[in-house]
């Protein structure tokens, strides 16, 4: 065993082996993998080996598509068989809501290039006759679905890595990982210590323990999971072709052919967590005792859907643990707060996702960034607020709802409330219907009178529609108030603060008393942040951005910090409100003795409001005349009392996130991770207008952004008005022109002020023309759409700036 290496990967499951292979594929051959037992000894060996591309998140679906295509490459490189069966598979819908979901998924697949099909019950019966189609509305068929041999596949990754120079050491448990001052690591093992530049935690079932060795907490939990393999079934083995996979979400089951019988697994509603207090080190290549009582309801439902099961004998019962993050997605990337320490954990579908996870991590390690937006699987989507007590109930909820319809507006209840601002009780008393955002409770909207305090999950307009309209009108006609705790906020101070900002942000850094908007770019020129920068003094700046991106942005700031600059995340140390609408100025003037009539759009000032000295920024994401007022959280209730009292003569109403996301559409404002994400460039999204091309600074991403400007974008973001009925665009719906899918939507919604359904969509540049007519497919129906060239509200910005 060598004692120095560039990378130590801890864990020889499918994920660790994939990471190892991809590192070698991208040119790092001085890499090694340490496995405490034999390869596959964690959750990998007993997996059912199923794989599929379908995933509600398009970036996860892309990783899954990559993984499935990779297996042939592995077989060719190594000569080993992955035991591939491309049997195709479908997901059943037994309610209109679930069918809506499948229609929405099919629509997304059109621009993703996935050849899925919607099937009728008769078509289902034809290709999978063992399915009882009673109550089935339809299904989504994916020809790429299939299954493989988990052990063979893991060994194929391992052999491919070895062939490219990687070393794999088995029976070598890692006992400690100790950082050195220069950012490298001493990895202490049963067989000696290895000095490594980088460490990757691919510890699977033991990822929590491995993370703890480096002093960090990884938010995942192992769950117990069952599948059964039946004896031979004539209706299965007498077929000419392999039986397709069938997922019956309402019945909580997935089914496929195994030899001459069937294999059926269950995601039961009352699941059980495994090893709550830590995974035992003496557990290796083992199963858990059968517990058929736990899945008896699911078994009964599967007998109804697949009657042949009721009489088939059970040949094998597999009951084993595997890990889940609170949202069910992998936890990948550089661990915030640690140098050269990487996570490849929480991969609950190693055979659908393991290849993509390995590729993404290897790209990140070897080049500093990934080719696509990582937000859905980046470990930094969880911040320091994540803790054990939260993870367990959220993982339980995720497991038990794995096959529930994933409504875009659903707010799941487990582990809430976790973080609350001082305004929680006040807003709750005013009828707040709460959302959950990066651990924090945030009002989505306010119910009034007899309106229910619960938003009905739906793909169509929900019961929040009326209330949201009411709040939008309050803003546009008078004044609305909304808490700004849920903005990510940073203080940047020190002699080099301006230089640092000039380097890290692509836009202009403002003079004292002023505010600018700026994109933050990756080295390859893609958007990794959209920031508001306020200059309080020559060495004193404030940044605001997405609350949910705090760990992501802080990690980037840490990685690119300069001497004599202090960057502090003050998101939870600073709170306040925004007031917006034509009466906002009058409200603000009522509570301060200082004259604010000369406060221009994009000015920032320190003002005394009654008892408090606060920072006021003249800017509003609602696109209206508005002010953001920042204070200490302990002062927030006092500030509220003042603003609320001053707002009453003007009909002030509180407004929530639903109204904010509707109001921004009136002015065509994009939003983080919808329009502005690492999948897109400033030139494509229009954010290039905020780039300070003339500043004499080599800001990060400059060369790439200049090249993109020179080449011109091949697609551009446009705003459309859609002839929708009761369902608006959510994101990734295809855009049709002349009978062809040419683009897709990034987000949309209903503009209550304009009375129109709106959507942002990417259109190929050559097709963009004034008043362009197109169609946007919403829930399977192609709706007429017309490009809106300039905002229909406040087109000249007079109201916002006036
Ligand atoms: C019953 C069941 C059915 C499943 N069916 C499917 C399916 O059909 N399709 C699918 O895609 N997925 C399925 N899965 C999930 C799949 O098994 C996991 O996604 C996958 O195994 C995760 O792989 P991993 O490499 O992350 O973790 P693991 O397989 O747990 O590997 C981690 C490895 O790290 C090693 N290790 C840990 N700590 C140390 C240390 N300190 N030093 C050295 N080595 C260490 C362990 O020994 C282990 O080998 C199923 C899981 C179960 C339980």
């Amino acid at each position: 065993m060598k004692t120095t290496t560039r990378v130590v990967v801890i864990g020889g499951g499918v994920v660790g082996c994939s990471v190892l292979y991809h590192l070698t594929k991208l040119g790092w051959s001085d890499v090694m993998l340490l496995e405490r037992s034999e390869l596959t000894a964690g959750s990998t060996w007993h997996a059912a080996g199923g794989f599929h591309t379908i995933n509600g998140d398009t970036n996860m679906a892309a990783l899954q598509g990559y993984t499935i295509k990779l297996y042939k490459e592995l077989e060719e490189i190594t000569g080993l068989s992955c035991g591939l069966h491309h049997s195709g598979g479908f997901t059943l819908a037994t309610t209109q809501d679930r069918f809506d979901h499948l229609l929405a998924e099919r629509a997304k697949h059109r621009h993703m290039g996935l050849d899925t099909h919607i099937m009728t019950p008769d078509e289902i019966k034809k290709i999978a006759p063992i399915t009882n189609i009673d109550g089935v509305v339809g299904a989504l068929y994916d020809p790429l679905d299939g299954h493989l041999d988990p052990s063979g596949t893991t060994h194929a990754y391992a052999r491919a890595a070895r062939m490219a120079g990687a070393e794999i050491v088995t029976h070598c448990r890692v006992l400690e990982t100790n950082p050195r001052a220069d950012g490298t690591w001493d990895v202490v093992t049963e067989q000696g210590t290895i000095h490594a530049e980088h460490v990757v935690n691919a510890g699977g079932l033991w990822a929590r323990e491995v993370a703890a060795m480096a002093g960090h907490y990884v938010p995942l939990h192992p769950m117990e999971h069952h599948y059964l393999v039946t004896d031979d079934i004539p209706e299965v083995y007498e077929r000419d072709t392999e039986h397709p996979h069938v997922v019956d979400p309402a019945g909580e089951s997935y089914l496929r052919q195994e030899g001459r019988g069937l294999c059926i697994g269950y995601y039961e509603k009352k699941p059980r967590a495994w090893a709550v207090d830590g995974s035992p080190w003496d557990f290796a290549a083992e199963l858990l005792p059968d517990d058929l009582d736990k899945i008896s309801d699911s078994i009964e439902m599967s007998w109804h859907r697949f009657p042949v099961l009721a009489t088939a004998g059970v040949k094998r019962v597999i009951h084993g643990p595997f890990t889940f993050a609170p949202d069910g997605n992998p936890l990948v990337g550089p661990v915030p707060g640690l140098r050269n320490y990487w996570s490849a954990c929480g991969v609950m579908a190693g055979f659908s996702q393991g290849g993509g996870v390995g590729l993404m991590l290897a790209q990140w390690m070897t080049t500093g960034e990934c080719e696509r937006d990582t937000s859905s699987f980046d470990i930094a989507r969880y911040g320091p607020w994540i803790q054990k007590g939260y993870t367990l109930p959220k993982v339980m909820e995720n497991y038990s709802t794995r096959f529930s319809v994933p409504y875009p507006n659903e707010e799941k209840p487990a582990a809430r409330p976790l973080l609350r601002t001082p305004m929680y009780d006040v807003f709750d008393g005013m009828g707040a219907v709460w959302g959950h955002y990066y651990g924090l409770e945030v009002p989505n909207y306010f119910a009034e009178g007899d309106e229910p305090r619960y938003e009905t999950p739906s793909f169509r307009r929900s019961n929040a529609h009326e209330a949201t309209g009411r709040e939008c009108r309050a803003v546009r006609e008078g004044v609305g108030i909304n808490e700004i705790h849920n903005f990510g906020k940073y203080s940047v101070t020190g002699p080099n603060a301006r230089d640092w900002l000039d380097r890290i942000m692509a836009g202009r850094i403002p003079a004292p008393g002023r505010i600018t908007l700026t994109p933050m770019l990756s080295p390859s020129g893609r958007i990794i942040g959209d920031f508001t920068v306020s200059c309080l003094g020559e060495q004193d700046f404030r940044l605001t951005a997405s609350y949910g991106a705090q760990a992501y942005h802080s990690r980037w700031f840490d990685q690119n910090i300069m001497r004599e600059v202090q960057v502090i995340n003050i998101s939870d140390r600073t709170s306040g409100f925004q007031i917006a609408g034509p009466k906002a100025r009058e409200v603000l003037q009522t509570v301060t003795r200082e004259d604010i009539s000369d406060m221009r759009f994009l000015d920032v000032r320190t003002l005394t409001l009654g008892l408090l000295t606060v920072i006021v920024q003249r800017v509003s994401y609602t696109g209206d005349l508005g002010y953001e007022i920042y204070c200490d959280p302990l002062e927030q209730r006092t500030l509220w009392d003042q603003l609320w009292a001053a707002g009453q003569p003007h009909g002030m109403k509180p407004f929530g996130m639903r109204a904010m996301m509707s109001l921004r559409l009136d002015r065509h404002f994009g939003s983080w991770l919808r329009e502005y994400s690492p999948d897109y460039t400033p030139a494509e999204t229009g954010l290039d207008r905020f780039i300070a091309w003339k500043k004499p600074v080599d800001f990060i991403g400059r060369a790439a952004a200049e090249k993109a400007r020179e080449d011109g974008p091949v697609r551009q973001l446009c705003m459309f008005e859609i002839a929708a009925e009761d369902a608006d665009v959510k994101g990734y719906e295809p855009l049709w022109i002349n009978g062809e899918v040419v683009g897709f939507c990034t987000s949309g919604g209903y503009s209550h002020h304009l009375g129109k359904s709106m959507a942002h969509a990417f259109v190929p540049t050559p097709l963009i023309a004034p008043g362009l007519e197109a169609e946007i497919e919403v829930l399977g129906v192609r709706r007429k759409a017309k490009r809106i060239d300039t905002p229909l509200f406040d087109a000249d910005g007079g109201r916002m700036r006036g």
Side-chain angles (χ1 to χ4, degrees):
M1 181 174 89
K2 57 186 174 184
T3 53
T4 58
T5 185
R6 193 162 197 182
V7 182
V8 163
V9 178
I10 304 172
V14 63
V15 175
C17 291
S18 168
V19 170
L20 194 72
Y21 164 65
H22 282 95
L23 285 170
T24 63
K25 187 174 176 179
L26 299 191
W28 283 18
S29 55
D30 179 16
V31 293
M32 61 196 296
L33 181 149
L34 307 178
E35 165 54 49
R36 72 192 177 102
S37 174
E38 296 290 346
L39 296 183
T40 78
S43 55
T44 295
W45 73 278
H46 56 237
F51 56 76
H52 50 270
T53 43
I54 296 176
N55 189 302
D57 182 280
T58 36
N59 276 308
M60 283 309 304
L63 295 200
Q64 296 182 188
Y66 168 81
T67 304
I68 293 168
K69 288 187 190 133
L70 181 69
Y71 294 131
K72 282 229 153 51
E73 175 184 318
L74 279 182
E75 290 186 333
E76 277 161 23
I77 294 172
T78 62
L80 293 178
S81 167
C82 295
L84 289 176
H85 294 250
H86 280 289
S87 52
F90 49 83
T91 304
L92 302 175
T94 47
T95 61
Q96 185 57 44
D97 263 14
R98 197 178 288 282
F99 195 56
D100 279 353
H101 167 58
L102 298 184
L103 291 173
E105 288 300 297
R106 168 62 199 127
K108 282 186 205 170
H109 297 160
R110 288 190 206 282
H111 65 80
M112 291 170 67
L114 291 177
D115 187 25
T116 54
H117 309 274
I118 293 291
M119 288 175 52
T120 63
D122 287 345
E123 288 168 323
I124 297 165
K125 191 78 194 167
K126 220 158 152 189
I127 67 164
I130 63 165
T131 312
N132 169 6
I133 55 167
D134 279 0
V136 172
V137 183
L140 182 68
Y141 180 74
D142 182 357
L144 289 180
D145 275 11
H147 57 102
L148 47 61
D149 165 18
S151 172
T153 301
T154 308
H155 282 278
Y157 277 122
R159 181 181 286 181
R162 276 196 185 107
M163 287 166 70
E167 181 175 345
I168 295 180
V169 185
T170 56
H171 299 282
C172 182
R173 180 172 142 196
V174 172
L175 305 170
E176 292 173 27
T177 49
N178 301 320
R180 290 192 185 183
D182 65 357
T184 62
W185 292 84
D186 284 322
V187 179
V188 181
T189 80
E190 291 171 331
Q191 298 185 28
T193 297
I194 300 161
H195 180 217
E197 209 179 305
H198 299 268
V199 172
V200 178
N201 177 1
L205 289 177
W206 296 268
R208 292 173 297 173
E209 286 72 19
V210 172
M213 291 175 198
H216 90 96
Y217 171 65
V218 60
L220 55 78
H221 214 287
M223 298 293 293
E224 298 181 1
H225 183 67
H226 253 121
Y227 68 87
L228 317 176
V229 179
T230 70
D231 288 334
D232 296 357
I233 299 176
E235 288 88 337
V236 174
Y237 68 72
E238 282 170 1
R239 290 166 53 92
D240 295 337
T241 55
E242 188 164 6
H243 196 281
H245 286 213
V246 189
V247 175
D248 177 24
E252 303 163 4
S253 69
Y254 57 89
L255 168 136
R256 67 168 174 82
Q257 183 167 345
E258 169 79 21
R260 286 159 59 94
L262 291 169
C263 161
I264 181 154
Y266 301 100
Y267 279 92
E268 65 277 12
K269 282 273 181 313
K270 288 185 191 147
R272 190 179 308 131
W274 181 72
V276 171
D277 297 316
S279 304
W281 287 110
D282 59 359
F283 184 89
E286 282 173 62
L287 291 176
L288 305 172
D290 300 348
D291 183 2
L292 296 181
D293 281 351
K294 183 164 66 100
I295 53 169
S296 58
D297 290 351
S298 314
I299 291 178
E300 213 164 291
M301 286 192 276
S302 66
W303 286 357
H304 166 74
R305 185 60 64 211
F306 310 104
V308 292
L309 289 173
T311 50
V314 173
K315 189 155 69 182
R316 234 173 34 243
V317 177
I318 306 286
H319 190 206
F322 64 134
T323 59
F324 290 77
D327 60 4
N329 276 354
L331 297 159
V332 182
V335 173
L338 297 180
R339 279 165 77 191
N340 298 334
Y341 192 98
W342 306 80
S343 174
C345 306
V347 184
M348 60 74 54
F351 297 96
S352 294
Q353 300 169 342
V357 164
L359 176 70
M360 288 300 108
L361 195 71
Q363 285 184 352
W364 222 327
M365 293 176 73
T366 57
T367 70
E369 60 179 306
C370 301
E371 68 186 46
R372 60 177 60 255
D373 172 21
T374 57
S375 54
S376 51
F377 54 90
D378 188 342
I379 188 166
R381 69 187 182 280
Y382 295 105
W385 55 271
I386 191 92
Q387 45 202 301
K388 278 185 194 168
Y390 172 91
T391 303
L392 180 58
K394 216 63 193 166
V395 166
M396 299 277 279
E397 178 185 66
N398 184 274
Y399 183 101
S400 63
T401 56
R402 172 147 174 75
F403 281 153
S404 301
V405 180
Y407 294 104
N409 64 337
E410 184 165 15
E411 296 287 353
K412 292 189 179 164
R416 293 176 56 195
L418 177 67
L419 308 179
R420 287 180 275 187
T421 77
M423 286 304 294
Y424 184 85
D425 293 341
V426 176
F427 283 155
D428 207 49
M430 296 175 91
V433 179
W434 295 98
H436 183 59
Y437 186 46
Y438 200 67
L440 182 70
E441 294 297 316
V442 177
N444 278 340
Y445 66 96
F446 291 83
E448 285 184 3
D450 294 341
E451 288 172 349
R453 296 286 295 272
Y454 173 72
E455 182 176 1
T456 321
S458 176
F459 290 94
R460 294 164 196 274
R461 287 179 196 148
S462 75
N463 59 331
H465 193 71
E466 282 305 306
T468 305
R470 205 161 54 218
E471 291 168 23
C472 290
R473 281 190 295 282
V475 171
R476 290 283 182 254
E477 292 165 15
V479 59
I481 186 164
N482 162 273
E483 196 177 15
I484 50 175
H485 193 100
N486 62 326
F487 289 6
K489 311 169 205 86
Y490 308 86
S491 143
V492 182
T493 54
N496 278 338
R498 180 175 288 279
D499 286 351
W500 181 76
L501 285 166
D502 257 330
R503 162 112 181 104
I504 203 150
M505 301 292 171
R508 199 165 51 76
I509 304 308
R514 292 292 287 163
I515 297 169
T516 53
L517 309 176
T518 168
M520 184 164 77
L521 304 182
S522 70
S524 68
R526 285 171 304 131
I527 301 165
I528 56 172
D530 62 327
F531 280 82
T532 304
V533 184
S534 319
C535 183
L536 305 179
E538 202 32 65
Q539 297 186 12
D540 187 2
F541 295 84
R542 288 284 171 97
L543 309 180
T544 47
S546 159
Y547 189 77
Q550 284 175 64
Y552 174 78
H553 284 148
S554 298
R555 184 178 63 196
W556 185 249
F557 295 158
D558 285 351
Q559 286 168 351
N560 291 283
I561 200 66
M562 261 183 195
R563 279 188 321 110
E564 299 198 46
V565 181
Q566 292 81 45
V567 182
I568 304 174
N569 180 354
I570 54 167
S571 304
D572 291 332
R573 293 193 219 164
T574 312
S575 200
F577 301 95
Q578 65 164 314
I579 53 173
K583 300 290 183 193
R585 185 183 287 120
E586 286 170 54
V587 172
L588 187 62
Q589 189 62 79
T590 314
V591 292
T592 180
R593 290 167 56 81
E594 294 164 61
D595 179 12
I596 58 155
S597 62
D598 62 344
M599 192 169 173
R600 296 165 300 165
F601 181 59
L602 298 180
D603 271 355
V604 55
R605 279 189 194 172
T606 301
L607 290 180
T608 298
L609 304 191
L611 301 175
L612 306 173
T613 301
V614 296
I615 293 172
V616 180
Q617 305 193 159
R618 203 184 135 192
V619 66
S620 172
Y621 190 55
T622 61
D624 220 307
L625 168 66
Y627 302 85
E628 292 172 356
I629 305 163
Y630 292 89
C631 66
D632 186 285
L634 296 181
E635 299 167 338
Q636 196 188 10
R637 289 286 288 270
T638 302
L639 180 61
W640 166 259
D641 290 344
Q642 290 175 201
L643 292 172
W644 184 244
Q648 289 321 294
H650 304 286
M652 179 183 268
K653 270 189 185 296
F655 66 100
M657 288 302 288
R658 299 271 185 266
M660 185 129 103
M661 294 311 278
S662 168
L663 292 163
R664 58 129 197 163
L665 294 171
D666 301 347
R667 292 273 308 151
H668 302 190
F669 291 165
S671 74
W672 175 241
L673 292 183
R674 295 179 181 89
E675 286 68 42
Y676 308 140
S677 97
D679 281 338
Y680 312 129
T681 66
E684 291 172 332
T685 54
L687 278 188
D688 54 346
R689 69 188 186 281
F690 295 116
I691 294 183
W693 300 106
K694 290 192 184 142
K695 73 178 178 183
V697 180
D698 186 21
F699 59 82
I700 297 173
R702 176 164 201 141
E706 280 177 348
K707 168 120 191 12
R709 182 168 65 148
E710 217 173 278
D711 295 347
V714 293
R715 61 182 180 187
Q716 276 170 272
L717 208 54
C718 298
M719 181 56 102
F720 286 87
E721 166 189 350
I722 310 169
E725 271 168 22
D726 63 343
D728 303 302
V729 158
K730 301 289 183 287
Y732 295 110
E733 290 82 352
L735 177 92
W736 297 73
I737 294 181
N738 296 331
E740 255 185 78
V741 174
V742 297
F744 62 95
C745 298
T746 50
S747 76
Y750 187 75
S751 160
H752 288 270
H753 176 67
L754 301 174
K756 293 177 190 300
S757 185
M758 313 274 283
H760 287 280
F762 276 114
V763 183
T765 304
L767 299 183
I768 297 175
L772 173 71
E773 305 225 328
E775 288 173 309
I776 290 176
E777 185 174 336
V778 182
L779 300 183
V781 181
R782 278 153 65 172
R783 305 272 176 192
K784 280 199 181 333
K786 187 165 179 265
R787 179 172 173 230
I788 304 178
D789 308 329
T790 46
L792 298 175
F793 165 71
D794 197 24
D796 62 358
R799 176 137 148 193
M800 184 173 72
R801 294 162 189 274

